[in-house]
Amino acid sequence: MRITNSIDKALLKQLLLFVALLLGVNGVGVKGQVVVDENTAQASRLGSIGEDSLDFFAQSFIADIWQVNEIGVWLQRQNLGGQVKIALVADTNNSPDLNSVLYESSLIEPQDSGMFYYSDPFINLLTPGEKYWVVVDGYQNLLSSGYSEVGVSSQFTDTGESMWFSDDGGQTWDSIPGIPMAIYVAGGTCTFFANISPEIPLVCPTNPATIS
């Protein structure tokens, strides 16, 4: 049976569950390592975003990993409150697709001194080689007020694209030429295996794999 990167994610999960049931839950595990996909350092800051300012900032990147576990952005409060969320969304027609949100954090209240803020740990499958967006969401978040600034970098991500913004709820997007947003994206590589001798690798979606 051939598994490729284009396999439907729901089907993949069902397949792994089926294999686990066949081998016994305790007989299946995952080995892997953390891989930093993007880590563009903060060099300056740009505002503003939040309930009393722009709706969204976004930065694109190309996934080099099949599984993302953590995203981060640099934030600094500029007005009382300044709460935002950070999200990971898919790309459609070279723009952030807010109808395809893969993850969104709980509400973050940045402090007066800027720093990187990170998502809670999560797991989401990506397709290596495809474009995704890290988004700062300041749009109509319950119990939010004020606005914050985001960190910008002298380094571009692997798309080579500047950061984008939206001020109409994500209906339209515009770039901020020459200015990328400082972001962090980390995930993992894997080998699923059966806990028998010898170990039998089952699937690692970064590359086609054969299950036999």
Side-chain angles (χ1 to χ4, degrees):
M1 180 176 180
R2 195 73 172 171
I3 299 180
T4 68
N5 290 340
S6 61
I7 188 170
D8 179 82
K9 294 172 185 175
L11 178 59
L12 175 59
K13 291 178 181 178
Q14 291 177 6
L15 172 62
L16 293 176
L17 178 60
F18 177 71
V19 172
L21 290 172
L22 286 178
L23 297 175
V25 173
N26 293 328
V28 176
V30 179
K31 294 190 294 188
Q33 61 183 8
V34 174
V35 176
V36 176
D37 193 335
E38 297 289 346
N39 189 15
T40 52
Q42 182 265 343
S44 186
R45 62 183 194 265
L46 179 73
S48 56
I49 184 166
E51 186 65 25
D52 298 331
S53 190
L54 296 175
D55 294 339
F56 298 100
F57 283 135
Q59 178 62 56
S60 63
F61 71 97
I62 300 295
D64 296 322
I65 52 178
W66 75 271
Q67 174 184 296
V68 62
N69 302 103
E70 188 175 42
I71 57 175
V73 297
W74 192 97
L75 298 166
Q76 181 173 327
R77 180 170 57 196
Q78 290 300 306
N79 188 268
L80 185 62
Q83 298 95 337
V84 296
K85 297 179 180 180
I86 56 177
L88 177 68
V89 309
D91 175 85
T92 297
N93 297 323
N94 290 317
S95 295
D97 185 355
L98 299 184
N99 292 315
S100 184
V101 177
L102 305 178
Y103 167 84
E104 184 162 69
S105 73
S106 54
L107 203 61
I108 297 169
E109 183 169 344
Q111 299 304 300
D112 294 333
S113 57
M115 59 183 288
F116 262 92
Y117 289 82
Y118 300 94
S119 64
D120 297 324
F122 68 99
I123 296 177
N124 210 303
L125 297 182
L126 303 180
T127 300
E130 288 194 2
K131 182 192 290 189
Y132 296 88
W133 297 81
V134 173
V135 174
V136 182
D137 175 4
Y139 182 59
Q140 295 183 350
N141 291 317
L142 188 64
L143 301 179
S144 64
S145 61
Y147 51 85
S148 291
E149 292 184 324
V150 299
V152 296
S153 183
S154 59
Q155 305 167 266
F156 286 85
T157 68
D158 47 10
T159 62
E161 295 179 340
S162 302
M163 62 186 292
W164 288 37
F165 74 94
S166 174
D167 198 28
D168 59 5
Q171 298 301 307
T172 61
W173 293 85
D174 292 292
S175 66
I176 304 175
I179 302 178
M181 189 164 68
I183 65 169
Y184 176 86
V185 179
T189 59
C190 79
T191 302
F192 289 89
F193 64 95
N195 189 19
I196 57 178
S197 182
E199 290 186 351
I200 303 174
L202 299 178
V203 61
C204 193
T206 47
N207 294 297
T210 300
I211 294 179
S212 57

